Amino acid sequence: MYLALLELKAARGRFLLMGSVVVLVAALVGIVSGFTTGLGDDTISALRRLPATHLAFDRGADSDQFARSLVDEAELDGWRERGDVEVTPLGVSIARGTTDRKVEVDFAAFGVEPGSFLDPGAASGTVLSAGEPFGVVVSRQLVKDGVRVGDTLTVDRLGIELEVTGTTGRSSYGHVPVAYLPVETWQRIRFATPGTRAADVRPPNQYSAVALKAGDGVDLTGADRALSTRTVTVEDAYAAAPGYTGERLTMTSIQAFLYAIAPLVVGAFFAVWTVQRRPELALLRAMGASRARLLGHTLAQAAIVVTAGAAVGAALAAALGLAVGSEVPFSLPAGALVATMATVVLVGLAGTAVTLRKVTTVDPMTMLGAGR
């Protein structure tokens, strides 16, 4: 270790250059990880908040289920007749509206039954109520956009007026903040024809899905066959959110390439460094240094450079997260940051493996003779 530190000090310019590259790679990995998590949360946080175990969609909806699936009243009643699951309908659609204070917002309308296990409650104001069918509880992002309790939110092109009665925590779907409203009102929004008086038209009793709370061992497959539905876990339903799968594939691919770059860069540097100092290694071997000691010497240098670089890179990624705040979908929890940087260190040290053979095969007699 002493010799490793002496070499780090003597060639500090080279090691600082290599460390700077590791810092940039580690920071990039951390930033990409933060955007991956943040974009995922911004796409499916409303689905993650659902206190359900499964969602039953129409059997014919194989993709984009929330947009294409329509479950009717008969299928809902069929699920309710089962005594081994809790059942409630769920409606999901995207809408746009304007408040009476001229604030224009996009929102994801989540239709739920007031008082059901999908009812989000309210952090402020009042909760959804069956006695107030046009009441709506908005998420924190809509409050940030300028929507306030007491506002009247008019759905564009339909003229449906929603009274903002309460607010709830952060919740979004497809990068759009969520507004929770009674499922009957959601049906009017989902099935109304623009230009008509939606309040005077009775919408069909259909829903995007049936939310289920099912315990272990419940035969959901048999119920699907009998009711012509297709049941998936809530986690599997994340893929039905718009853009979720493509975003995760893109960001994960970038992260994987960065993980591949780290060992190549570190390995190339230490391969060149080992070749340049082979005379010194040969001298150490001639003085009685064991191969294990030389290996430890090389790995110690690599560990110091890679670990220090990853630590600085982690600090940069965390600083970026604090700087952007809530302006962009960026989320980098401490646990995820530590895991990401640990992976960078491991793959970086793996890159030094290409130099180990050159260290262990140094021939002291040949190198000393060649130096005369």
Side-chain angles (χ1 to χ4, degrees):
M1 178 60 76
Y2 178 70
L3 291 176
L5 294 175
L6 284 180
E7 283 193 338
L8 286 173
K9 182 178 180 181
R12 55 182 174 272
R14 299 178 185 179
F15 283 104
L16 283 174
L17 179 61
M18 181 60 216
S20 300
V21 175
V22 176
V23 168
L24 292 177
V25 172
L28 281 174
V29 172
I31 291 169
V32 171
S33 178
F35 278 118
T36 301
T37 304
L39 286 170
D41 289 342
D42 206 45
T43 304
I44 62 168
S45 63
L47 300 180
R48 283 178 175 162
R49 287 190 62 182
L50 295 178
T53 59
H54 297 78
L55 293 175
F57 295 100
D58 176 60
R59 181 175 293 177
D62 296 328
S63 62
D64 299 328
Q65 289 96 328
F66 289 109
R68 299 182 179 181
S69 172
L70 288 176
V71 180
D72 59 30
E73 192 74 17
E75 292 165 336
L76 175 63
D77 290 339
W79 278 105
R80 280 177 167 160
E81 289 173 1
R82 298 176 57 90
D84 50 2
V85 292
E86 291 186 61
V87 178
T88 188
L90 171 67
V92 177
S93 59
I94 305 295
R96 182 175 178 81
T98 305
T99 70
D100 49 359
R101 294 184 296 106
K102 306 305 180 183
V103 176
E104 298 182 357
V105 292
D106 293 315
F107 63 95
F110 269 46
V112 300
E113 288 185 332
S116 70
F117 62 83
L118 292 187
D119 189 334
S124 64
T126 59
V127 299
L128 296 177
S129 171
E132 193 171 355
F134 291 96
V136 59
V137 173
V138 299
S139 61
R140 190 168 60 195
Q141 296 99 308
L142 284 172
V143 175
K144 182 180 177 181
D145 291 339
V147 179
R148 300 289 183 267
V149 174
D151 285 354
T152 298
L153 178 63
T154 303
V155 181
D156 290 357
R157 301 192 304 162
L158 301 179
I160 299 176
E161 295 184 349
L162 306 174
E163 299 296 328
V164 181
T165 63
T167 66
T168 185
R170 184 179 181 86
S171 184
S172 58
Y173 169 80
H175 304 297
V176 180
V178 170
Y180 297 91
L181 64 162
V183 70
E184 292 81 4
T185 305
W186 171 84
Q187 290 171 339
R188 295 185 182 278
I189 296 174
R190 171 67 174 81
F191 299 110
T193 302
T196 63
R197 286 183 54 84
D200 297 336
V201 179
R202 177 63 181 176
N205 286 326
Q206 293 180 323
Y207 318 93
S208 298
V210 177
L212 310 174
K213 267 189 175 182
D216 296 334
V218 176
D219 183 18
L220 300 178
T221 303
D224 280 338
R225 286 196 298 266
L227 300 172
S228 298
T229 56
R230 188 171 67 88
T231 301
V232 299
T233 64
V234 172
E235 290 76 15
D236 289 339
Y238 294 165
Y244 178 73
T245 301
E247 286 174 356
R248 287 196 67 84
L249 180 61
T250 300
M251 302 304 290
T252 303
S253 298
I254 295 173
Q255 197 169 7
F257 276 114
L258 290 174
Y259 282 138
I261 289 171
L264 292 177
V265 172
V266 175
F269 172 82
F270 277 97
V272 173
W273 175 245
T274 301
V275 170
Q276 291 178 340
R277 65 193 182 99
R278 289 192 77 178
E280 289 82 358
L281 295 174
L283 179 60
L284 290 173
R285 287 285 290 128
M287 293 174 62
S290 64
R291 289 187 176 88
R293 186 172 183 181
L294 294 184
L295 286 176
H297 170 79
T298 302
L299 289 174
Q301 288 181 337
I304 292 172
V305 172
V306 174
T307 303
V312 176
L316 289 177
L320 176 67
L322 293 176
V324 298
S326 59
E327 298 301 319
V328 297
F330 186 94
S331 177
L332 191 58
L337 180 60
V338 171
T340 300
M341 292 304 114
T343 305
V344 172
V345 172
L346 290 176
V347 298
L349 292 178
T352 64
V354 299
T355 68
L356 298 183
R357 185 176 180 277
K358 295 182 181 295
V359 173
T360 57
T361 57
V362 168
D363 186 347
M365 299 303 298
T366 301
M367 295 305 296
L368 289 174
R372 290 194 182 98

